[in-house]
Amino acid sequence: MKKTKKILASLAIAGMALTMIPFNAFAEGLIPTGISVGAATVTQITVQTADQGGSSHTATLDQIVTEIMSYRGYLNPSEKDSINEARTKLLTSVQDGTLSDSADGLLTDQVVARFQAKGFTRFDAKVALIKAIRDFQAIRYSDDNAALESALLNFKIENGRTIRTLFGDDFKVELFYGFMMATQDELQKEIKKEIKKNPSVILGLVGSSNTEIKDTLVEWLKTALHNVADPQNSKYHVFDQKLADIGWNIDLLVDTQRQIGAVIDPSNAAEKAVGMSVIRSQIQYKINGTIYDPLTRMELKKGDNKLKLVLSVKGTDTGAFNLAGLLAWKTDNSAIATVAEDGSSIKAGTTKGTTVITAYRINDSQVEMNELIRITVIVN
């Protein structure tokens, strides 16, 4: 399950910038029809992934959905609204044709030739690409279990033939997952390298515009992808070769995603939401020396007084950098729990209940838009 979590986290992160590479992950189906599949059948599907030792691990689609949705637990309510808005815009953009131009760069001579070899026209090829783009974006912009399950299974059934036409029958999902695991590891290294070099980069991103956050994270991801796929001695160099065979490359896929984003997420609010969830996933907190993930609720007893609070970056030594002290802090209900102005400690109140303590950029009235960490506190 540990390896499965890494794979799923990488899918979520890679989804920020890439639309086309992950097709085969869910495209083992044979029938590109207009069938609509209910979520009830999703639990019967399994996905096989290769671990580093060469053996295999299976996970039900229910488990995959649970892990992806857990990763998206770092999104706040307004960010979920932005993702849903992009999803709605995605559907209308397909219907009114505004998404059509986004596929033009992918419609290379090599792609057209592969479709023609199967008896399809250039027009058919473009229709297939637009459909695949739409169906994968539907996965990216799902924020509840039922919608995600339906989108995953729909992509599998609807786009299998397109994937085999583009990449061949020998393009196996096991190798893809290994590639995504390696990319995930490399991306984490890239993020941690930037933070270690300049810890304040976190604060800069929290206060940045939607576009700045998206552009920064996309560049980090591009670096990670190139580091994994470019070296000729890499076992994942096959991805560079597969893309080159149809006139594609990593940079083209990133540019395609930018075009798609300009149509369905022109303000980059959804991209910022995904980006901020990635940033927040790197943050952890300590209470009296014990490490917690922000998704884990903190349980206190009435009378707990001045519990030492420290924020840190997972797996990174930032030295004497005091991240908590550079943020503003607030509590939703001071009767239940309070936090020191400099974020150095938390104190239980006199009332039992649940409240949320939030850290965000100093001197920013838009707390939810620029929050870095949100801690749920339960006082018993």
Side-chain angles (χ1 to χ4, degrees), residues 199-240:
S200 63
V201 70
I202 298 177
L203 298 177
L205 285 173
V206 172
S208 296
S209 68
N210 298 356
T211 301
E212 289 170 332
I213 289 176
K214 181 197 73 173
D215 289 346
T216 297
L217 288 167
V218 165
E219 289 306 312
W220 288 349
L221 178 61
K222 283 173 63 176
T223 298
L225 287 164
H226 282 296
N227 288 347
V228 172
D230 287 355
Q232 292 192 0
N233 61 349
S234 169
K235 62 181 176 180
Y236 302 114
H237 186 61
V238 64
F239 288 94
D240 265 359

mmCIF file of all heavy atoms in Angstrom, residues 199-240:
data_model
loop_
_atom_site.group_PDB
_atom_site.id
_atom_site.type_symbol
_atom_site.label_atom_id
_atom_site.label_comp_id
_atom_site.label_asym_id
_atom_site.label_seq_id
_atom_site.Cartn_x
_atom_site.Cartn_y
_atom_site.Cartn_z
ATOM 1 N N PRO A 199 14.415 28.689 2.049
ATOM 2 C CA PRO A 199 13.178 28.299 2.738
ATOM 3 C C PRO A 199 12.027 29.277 2.544
ATOM 4 O O PRO A 199 10.860 28.881 2.568
ATOM 5 C CB PRO A 199 13.604 28.241 4.215
ATOM 6 C CG PRO A 199 15.074 27.992 4.178
ATOM 7 C CD PRO A 199 15.567 28.740 2.977
ATOM 8 N N SER A 200 12.335 30.546 2.331
ATOM 9 C CA SER A 200 11.270 31.535 2.179
ATOM 10 C C SER A 200 10.516 31.374 0.868
ATOM 11 O O SER A 200 9.520 32.068 0.641
ATOM 12 C CB SER A 200 11.838 32.961 2.280
ATOM 13 O OG SER A 200 12.747 33.204 1.236
ATOM 14 N N VAL A 201 10.971 30.466 0.001
ATOM 15 C CA VAL A 201 10.254 30.226 -1.256
ATOM 16 C C VAL A 201 8.823 29.787 -0.968
ATOM 17 O O VAL A 201 7.900 30.056 -1.753
ATOM 18 C CB VAL A 201 10.983 29.175 -2.124
ATOM 19 C CG1 VAL A 201 10.887 27.792 -1.521
ATOM 20 C CG2 VAL A 201 10.407 29.158 -3.542
ATOM 21 N N ILE A 202 8.620 29.115 0.176
ATOM 22 C CA ILE A 202 7.263 28.688 0.541
ATOM 23 C C ILE A 202 6.366 29.894 0.732
ATOM 24 O O ILE A 202 5.243 29.950 0.215
ATOM 25 C CB ILE A 202 7.289 27.860 1.835
ATOM 26 C CG1 ILE A 202 8.105 26.592 1.630
ATOM 27 C CG2 ILE A 202 5.874 27.502 2.275
ATOM 28 C CD1 ILE A 202 8.232 25.749 2.881
ATOM 29 N N LEU A 203 6.874 30.882 1.469
ATOM 30 C CA LEU A 203 6.071 32.081 1.714
ATOM 31 C C LEU A 203 5.814 32.827 0.420
ATOM 32 O O LEU A 203 4.744 33.385 0.218
ATOM 33 C CB LEU A 203 6.791 32.992 2.714
ATOM 34 C CG LEU A 203 7.031 32.382 4.104
ATOM 35 C CD1 LEU A 203 7.810 33.362 4.969
ATOM 36 C CD2 LEU A 203 5.723 32.022 4.760
ATOM 37 N N GLY A 204 6.811 32.825 -0.455
ATOM 38 C CA GLY A 204 6.631 33.497 -1.741
ATOM 39 C C GLY A 204 5.524 32.875 -2.553
ATOM 40 O O GLY A 204 4.725 33.566 -3.184
ATOM 41 N N LEU A 205 5.451 31.551 -2.532
ATOM 42 C CA LEU A 205 4.401 30.864 -3.276
ATOM 43 C C LEU A 205 3.031 31.098 -2.658
ATOM 44 O O LEU A 205 2.040 31.292 -3.366
ATOM 45 C CB LEU A 205 4.706 29.365 -3.330
ATOM 46 C CG LEU A 205 5.821 28.947 -4.287
ATOM 47 C CD1 LEU A 205 6.135 27.486 -4.132
ATOM 48 C CD2 LEU A 205 5.440 29.253 -5.724
ATOM 49 N N VAL A 206 2.968 31.062 -1.318
ATOM 50 C CA VAL A 206 1.684 31.280 -0.645
ATOM 51 C C VAL A 206 1.102 32.637 -1.020
ATOM 52 O O VAL A 206 -0.105 32.785 -1.207
ATOM 53 C CB VAL A 206 1.850 31.176 0.886
ATOM 54 C CG1 VAL A 206 0.569 31.605 1.591
ATOM 55 C CG2 VAL A 206 2.199 29.748 1.278
ATOM 56 N N GLY A 207 1.944 33.637 -1.171
ATOM 57 C CA GLY A 207 1.465 34.971 -1.488
ATOM 58 C C GLY A 207 1.445 35.294 -2.965
ATOM 59 O O GLY A 207 1.136 36.421 -3.347
ATOM 60 N N SER A 208 1.780 34.321 -3.798
ATOM 61 C CA SER A 208 1.862 34.567 -5.240
ATOM 62 C C SER A 208 0.490 34.517 -5.898
ATOM 63 O O SER A 208 -0.481 34.010 -5.335
ATOM 64 C CB SER A 208 2.782 33.535 -5.902
ATOM 65 O OG SER A 208 4.099 33.649 -5.437
ATOM 66 N N SER A 209 0.459 35.008 -7.108
ATOM 67 C CA SER A 209 -0.780 34.955 -7.886
ATOM 68 C C SER A 209 -1.032 33.532 -8.362
ATOM 69 O O SER A 209 -0.142 32.675 -8.316
ATOM 70 C CB SER A 209 -0.684 35.883 -9.105
ATOM 71 O OG SER A 209 0.266 35.377 -10.034
ATOM 72 N N ASN A 210 -2.244 33.283 -8.836
ATOM 73 C CA ASN A 210 -2.584 31.965 -9.367
ATOM 74 C C ASN A 210 -1.594 31.534 -10.439
ATOM 75 O O ASN A 210 -1.113 30.403 -10.455
ATOM 76 C CB ASN A 210 -3.993 31.989 -9.964
ATOM 77 C CG ASN A 210 -5.067 32.299 -8.943
ATOM 78 O OD1 ASN A 210 -4.784 32.431 -7.753
ATOM 79 N ND2 ASN A 210 -6.297 32.417 -9.401
ATOM 80 N N THR A 211 -1.292 32.444 -11.360
ATOM 81 C CA THR A 211 -0.421 32.121 -12.488
ATOM 82 C C THR A 211 1.004 31.854 -12.032
ATOM 83 O O THR A 211 1.661 30.925 -12.526
ATOM 84 C CB THR A 211 -0.433 33.266 -13.517
ATOM 85 O OG1 THR A 211 -1.784 33.460 -13.960
ATOM 86 C CG2 THR A 211 0.446 32.945 -14.710
ATOM 87 N N GLU A 212 1.490 32.630 -11.075
ATOM 88 C CA GLU A 212 2.860 32.447 -10.593
ATOM 89 C C GLU A 212 3.040 31.095 -9.918
ATOM 90 O O GLU A 212 4.054 30.417 -10.121
ATOM 91 C CB GLU A 212 3.229 33.574 -9.628
ATOM 92 C CG GLU A 212 3.423 34.926 -10.311
ATOM 93 C CD GLU A 212 3.551 36.067 -9.320
ATOM 94 O OE1 GLU A 212 2.986 35.967 -8.200
ATOM 95 O OE2 GLU A 212 4.200 37.064 -9.672
ATOM 96 N N ILE A 213 2.060 30.691 -9.122
ATOM 97 C CA ILE A 213 2.136 29.388 -8.460
ATOM 98 C C ILE A 213 2.124 28.271 -9.497
ATOM 99 O O ILE A 213 2.934 27.333 -9.442
ATOM 100 C CB ILE A 213 0.966 29.215 -7.475
ATOM 101 C CG1 ILE A 213 1.162 30.132 -6.270
ATOM 102 C CG2 ILE A 213 0.847 27.761 -7.018
ATOM 103 C CD1 ILE A 213 0.025 30.098 -5.291
ATOM 104 N N LYS A 214 1.216 28.359 -10.441
ATOM 105 C CA LYS A 214 1.138 27.327 -11.467
ATOM 106 C C LYS A 214 2.440 27.244 -12.247
ATOM 107 O O LYS A 214 2.997 26.156 -12.439
ATOM 108 C CB LYS A 214 -0.013 27.631 -12.431
ATOM 109 C CG LYS A 214 -0.181 26.578 -13.532
ATOM 110 C CD LYS A 214 -1.020 27.085 -14.685
ATOM 111 C CE LYS A 214 -0.232 28.090 -15.519
ATOM 112 N NZ LYS A 214 -0.948 28.484 -16.753
ATOM 113 N N ASP A 215 2.967 28.377 -12.679
ATOM 114 C CA ASP A 215 4.181 28.381 -13.495
ATOM 115 C C ASP A 215 5.376 27.815 -12.734
ATOM 116 O O ASP A 215 6.190 27.066 -13.295
ATOM 117 C CB ASP A 215 4.497 29.804 -13.975
ATOM 118 C CG ASP A 215 3.522 30.297 -15.037
ATOM 119 O OD1 ASP A 215 2.776 29.462 -15.579
ATOM 120 O OD2 ASP A 215 3.506 31.516 -15.311
ATOM 121 N N THR A 216 5.491 28.156 -11.458
ATOM 122 C CA THR A 216 6.605 27.650 -10.658
ATOM 123 C C THR A 216 6.558 26.136 -10.528
ATOM 124 O O THR A 216 7.555 25.438 -10.757
ATOM 125 C CB THR A 216 6.596 28.279 -9.245
ATOM 126 O OG1 THR A 216 6.781 29.688 -9.362
ATOM 127 C CG2 THR A 216 7.721 27.700 -8.389
ATOM 128 N N LEU A 217 5.396 25.610 -10.187
ATOM 129 C CA LEU A 217 5.271 24.176 -9.996
ATOM 130 C C LEU A 217 5.395 23.407 -11.298
ATOM 131 O O LEU A 217 5.928 22.299 -11.335
ATOM 132 C CB LEU A 217 3.950 23.862 -9.300
ATOM 133 C CG LEU A 217 3.929 24.278 -7.824
ATOM 134 C CD1 LEU A 217 2.522 24.242 -7.268
ATOM 135 C CD2 LEU A 217 4.836 23.388 -6.995
ATOM 136 N N VAL A 218 4.916 23.996 -12.387
ATOM 137 C CA VAL A 218 5.051 23.346 -13.685
ATOM 138 C C VAL A 218 6.526 23.234 -14.067
ATOM 139 O O VAL A 218 6.978 22.205 -14.583
ATOM 140 C CB VAL A 218 4.269 24.116 -14.766
ATOM 141 C CG1 VAL A 218 4.695 23.680 -16.162
ATOM 142 C CG2 VAL A 218 2.771 23.880 -14.597
ATOM 143 N N GLU A 219 7.305 24.275 -13.792
ATOM 144 C CA GLU A 219 8.727 24.227 -14.110
ATOM 145 C C GLU A 219 9.438 23.170 -13.275
ATOM 146 O O GLU A 219 10.313 22.453 -13.767
ATOM 147 C CB GLU A 219 9.366 25.601 -13.898
ATOM 148 C CG GLU A 219 8.960 26.636 -14.935
ATOM 149 C CD GLU A 219 9.207 26.173 -16.365
ATOM 150 O OE1 GLU A 219 10.328 25.666 -16.643
ATOM 151 O OE2 GLU A 219 8.293 26.280 -17.203
ATOM 152 N N TRP A 220 9.068 23.060 -11.999
ATOM 153 C CA TRP A 220 9.660 22.010 -11.158
ATOM 154 C C TRP A 220 9.306 20.629 -11.699
ATOM 155 O O TRP A 220 10.151 19.729 -11.732
ATOM 156 C CB TRP A 220 9.166 22.139 -9.717
ATOM 157 C CG TRP A 220 9.734 23.308 -8.971
ATOM 158 C CD1 TRP A 220 10.776 24.103 -9.365
ATOM 159 C CD2 TRP A 220 9.291 23.815 -7.711
ATOM 160 N NE1 TRP A 220 11.012 25.083 -8.423
ATOM 161 C CE2 TRP A 220 10.124 24.929 -7.391
ATOM 162 C CE3 TRP A 220 8.299 23.461 -6.817
ATOM 163 C CZ2 TRP A 220 9.978 25.667 -6.222
ATOM 164 C CZ3 TRP A 220 8.146 24.195 -5.645
ATOM 165 C CH2 TRP A 220 8.984 25.278 -5.354
ATOM 166 N N LEU A 221 8.062 20.463 -12.129
ATOM 167 C CA LEU A 221 7.635 19.174 -12.656
ATOM 168 C C LEU A 221 8.343 18.848 -13.965
ATOM 169 O O LEU A 221 8.771 17.713 -14.190
ATOM 170 C CB LEU A 221 6.122 19.164 -12.856
ATOM 171 C CG LEU A 221 5.550 17.870 -13.444
ATOM 172 C CD1 LEU A 221 5.842 16.696 -12.527
ATOM 173 C CD2 LEU A 221 4.059 17.990 -13.675
ATOM 174 N N LYS A 222 8.493 19.834 -14.837
ATOM 175 C CA LYS A 222 9.199 19.605 -16.099
ATOM 176 C C LYS A 222 10.625 19.141 -15.847
ATOM 177 O O LYS A 222 11.127 18.221 -16.505
ATOM 178 C CB LYS A 222 9.195 20.882 -16.950
ATOM 179 C CG LYS A 222 7.876 21.170 -17.642
ATOM 180 C CD LYS A 222 7.880 22.529 -18.313
ATOM 181 C CE LYS A 222 8.901 22.632 -19.414
ATOM 182 N NZ LYS A 222 8.811 23.927 -20.118
ATOM 183 N N THR A 223 11.286 19.777 -14.877
ATOM 184 C CA THR A 223 12.646 19.375 -14.533
ATOM 185 C C THR A 223 12.673 17.927 -14.064
ATOM 186 O O THR A 223 13.529 17.132 -14.480
ATOM 187 C CB THR A 223 13.215 20.289 -13.428
ATOM 188 O OG1 THR A 223 13.272 21.629 -13.909
ATOM 189 C CG2 THR A 223 14.614 19.841 -13.027
ATOM 190 N N ALA A 224 11.710 17.564 -13.205
ATOM 191 C CA ALA A 224 11.642 16.200 -12.693
ATOM 192 C C ALA A 224 11.411 15.196 -13.819
ATOM 193 O O ALA A 224 12.065 14.147 -13.882
ATOM 194 C CB ALA A 224 10.535 16.088 -11.651
ATOM 195 N N LEU A 225 10.499 15.508 -14.718
ATOM 196 C CA LEU A 225 10.196 14.607 -15.831
ATOM 197 C C LEU A 225 11.406 14.408 -16.734
ATOM 198 O O LEU A 225 11.720 13.287 -17.146
ATOM 199 C CB LEU A 225 9.020 15.159 -16.635
ATOM 200 C CG LEU A 225 7.647 15.052 -15.970
ATOM 201 C CD1 LEU A 225 6.639 15.955 -16.669
ATOM 202 C CD2 LEU A 225 7.166 13.612 -15.982
ATOM 203 N N HIS A 226 12.095 15.494 -17.034
ATOM 204 C CA HIS A 226 13.288 15.394 -17.880
ATOM 205 C C HIS A 226 14.386 14.600 -17.176
ATOM 206 O O HIS A 226 15.086 13.799 -17.813
ATOM 207 C CB HIS A 226 13.793 16.786 -18.259
ATOM 208 C CG HIS A 226 13.003 17.437 -19.350
ATOM 209 N ND1 HIS A 226 12.949 16.924 -20.628
ATOM 210 C CD2 HIS A 226 12.237 18.568 -19.363
ATOM 211 C CE1 HIS A 226 12.186 17.701 -21.393
ATOM 212 N NE2 HIS A 226 11.739 18.705 -20.646
ATOM 213 N N ASN A 227 14.552 14.808 -15.878
ATOM 214 C CA ASN A 227 15.587 14.084 -15.133
ATOM 215 C C ASN A 227 15.347 12.583 -15.149
ATOM 216 O O ASN A 227 16.287 11.788 -15.147
ATOM 217 C CB ASN A 227 15.644 14.572 -13.683
ATOM 218 C CG ASN A 227 16.248 15.955 -13.552
ATOM 219 O OD1 ASN A 227 16.844 16.487 -14.490
ATOM 220 N ND2 ASN A 227 16.079 16.560 -12.388
ATOM 221 N N VAL A 228 14.078 12.192 -15.176
ATOM 222 C CA VAL A 228 13.736 10.766 -15.171
ATOM 223 C C VAL A 228 13.795 10.164 -16.572
ATOM 224 O O VAL A 228 14.314 9.063 -16.765
ATOM 225 C CB VAL A 228 12.329 10.555 -14.569
ATOM 226 C CG1 VAL A 228 11.874 9.099 -14.748
ATOM 227 C CG2 VAL A 228 12.324 10.918 -13.094
ATOM 228 N N ALA A 229 13.286 10.889 -17.562
ATOM 229 C CA ALA A 229 13.098 10.301 -18.892
ATOM 230 C C ALA A 229 14.249 10.548 -19.867
ATOM 231 O O ALA A 229 14.453 9.757 -20.782
ATOM 232 C CB ALA A 229 11.798 10.820 -19.506
ATOM 233 N N ASP A 230 14.997 11.624 -19.682
ATOM 234 C CA ASP A 230 15.991 12.005 -20.693
ATOM 235 C C ASP A 230 17.238 11.125 -20.743
ATOM 236 O O ASP A 230 17.713 10.798 -21.840
ATOM 237 C CB ASP A 230 16.412 13.464 -20.512
ATOM 238 C CG ASP A 230 15.316 14.433 -20.950
ATOM 239 O OD1 ASP A 230 14.287 13.960 -21.470
ATOM 240 O OD2 ASP A 230 15.494 15.651 -20.764
ATOM 241 N N PRO A 231 17.827 10.746 -19.604
ATOM 242 C CA PRO A 231 19.064 9.964 -19.672
ATOM 243 C C PRO A 231 18.867 8.668 -20.456
ATOM 244 O O PRO A 231 17.925 7.915 -20.210
ATOM 245 C CB PRO A 231 19.372 9.669 -18.189
ATOM 246 C CG PRO A 231 18.688 10.762 -17.435
ATOM 247 C CD PRO A 231 17.425 11.026 -18.203
ATOM 248 N N GLN A 232 19.767 8.402 -21.403
ATOM 249 C CA GLN A 232 19.612 7.227 -22.248
ATOM 250 C C GLN A 232 19.768 5.931 -21.468
ATOM 251 O O GLN A 232 19.287 4.877 -21.909
ATOM 252 C CB GLN A 232 20.603 7.285 -23.407
ATOM 253 C CG GLN A 232 20.304 8.395 -24.403
ATOM 254 C CD GLN A 232 21.095 8.260 -25.679
ATOM 255 O OE1 GLN A 232 21.885 7.329 -25.831
ATOM 256 N NE2 GLN A 232 20.893 9.180 -26.603
ATOM 257 N N ASN A 233 20.464 5.983 -20.331
ATOM 258 C CA ASN A 233 20.624 4.769 -19.540
ATOM 259 C C ASN A 233 19.477 4.559 -18.552
ATOM 260 O O ASN A 233 19.479 3.614 -17.774
ATOM 261 C CB ASN A 233 21.957 4.789 -18.787
ATOM 262 C CG ASN A 233 22.056 5.951 -17.805
ATOM 263 O OD1 ASN A 233 21.226 6.861 -17.827
ATOM 264 N ND2 ASN A 233 23.072 5.926 -16.952
ATOM 265 N N SER A 234 18.485 5.454 -18.579
ATOM 266 C CA SER A 234 17.323 5.311 -17.710
ATOM 267 C C SER A 234 16.365 4.281 -18.294
ATOM 268 O O SER A 234 16.105 4.265 -19.501
ATOM 269 C CB SER A 234 16.596 6.653 -17.552
ATOM 270 O OG SER A 234 15.333 6.470 -16.922
ATOM 271 N N LYS A 235 15.820 3.428 -17.432
ATOM 272 C CA LYS A 235 14.857 2.443 -17.930
ATOM 273 C C LYS A 235 13.562 3.106 -18.363
ATOM 274 O O LYS A 235 12.713 2.476 -18.992
ATOM 275 C CB LYS A 235 14.580 1.379 -16.869
ATOM 276 C CG LYS A 235 13.968 1.877 -15.569
ATOM 277 C CD LYS A 235 13.785 0.716 -14.604
ATOM 278 C CE LYS A 235 13.260 1.160 -13.258
ATOM 279 N NZ LYS A 235 13.091 0.021 -12.310
ATOM 280 N N TYR A 236 13.408 4.402 -18.025
ATOM 281 C CA TYR A 236 12.217 5.132 -18.422
ATOM 282 C C TYR A 236 12.462 5.997 -19.657
ATOM 283 O O TYR A 236 11.596 6.777 -20.045
ATOM 284 C CB TYR A 236 11.721 5.993 -17.259
ATOM 285 C CG TYR A 236 11.413 5.165 -16.033
ATOM 286 C CD1 TYR A 236 12.175 5.306 -14.875
ATOM 287 C CD2 TYR A 236 10.388 4.227 -16.049
ATOM 288 C CE1 TYR A 236 11.906 4.534 -13.758
ATOM 289 C CE2 TYR A 236 10.122 3.450 -14.936
ATOM 290 C CZ TYR A 236 10.882 3.607 -13.783
ATOM 291 O OH TYR A 236 10.614 2.834 -12.686
ATOM 292 N N HIS A 237 13.627 5.831 -20.254
ATOM 293 C CA HIS A 237 13.911 6.583 -21.484
ATOM 294 C C HIS A 237 12.945 6.190 -22.605
ATOM 295 O O HIS A 237 12.765 6.934 -23.563
ATOM 296 C CB HIS A 237 15.353 6.336 -21.929
ATOM 297 C CG HIS A 237 15.779 7.170 -23.098
ATOM 298 N ND1 HIS A 237 15.797 8.554 -23.065
ATOM 299 C CD2 HIS A 237 16.184 6.820 -24.356
ATOM 300 C CE1 HIS A 237 16.203 9.016 -24.228
ATOM 301 N NE2 HIS A 237 16.442 7.988 -25.031
ATOM 302 N N VAL A 238 12.305 5.030 -22.440
ATOM 303 C CA VAL A 238 11.336 4.577 -23.434
ATOM 304 C C VAL A 238 10.212 5.595 -23.625
ATOM 305 O O VAL A 238 9.636 5.711 -24.715
ATOM 306 C CB VAL A 238 10.757 3.203 -23.040
ATOM 307 C CG1 VAL A 238 9.965 3.300 -21.729
ATOM 308 C CG2 VAL A 238 9.861 2.643 -24.136
ATOM 309 N N PHE A 239 9.906 6.385 -22.576
ATOM 310 C CA PHE A 239 8.844 7.378 -22.700
ATOM 311 C C PHE A 239 9.254 8.484 -23.664
ATOM 312 O O PHE A 239 8.441 8.952 -24.460
ATOM 313 C CB PHE A 239 8.487 7.950 -21.330
ATOM 314 C CG PHE A 239 7.738 6.982 -20.472
ATOM 315 C CD1 PHE A 239 8.415 6.169 -19.577
ATOM 316 C CD2 PHE A 239 6.371 6.848 -20.572
ATOM 317 C CE1 PHE A 239 7.733 5.251 -18.798
ATOM 318 C CE2 PHE A 239 5.681 5.936 -19.801
ATOM 319 C CZ PHE A 239 6.364 5.127 -18.907
ATOM 320 N N ASP A 240 10.505 8.899 -23.575
ATOM 321 C CA ASP A 240 10.999 9.870 -24.549
ATOM 322 C C ASP A 240 10.900 9.299 -25.959
ATOM 323 O O ASP A 240 10.518 9.987 -26.908
ATOM 324 C CB ASP A 240 12.462 10.227 -24.241
ATOM 325 C CG ASP A 240 12.580 11.480 -23.387
ATOM 326 O OD1 ASP A 240 11.540 12.074 -23.053
ATOM 327 O OD2 ASP A 240 13.715 11.863 -23.055
#
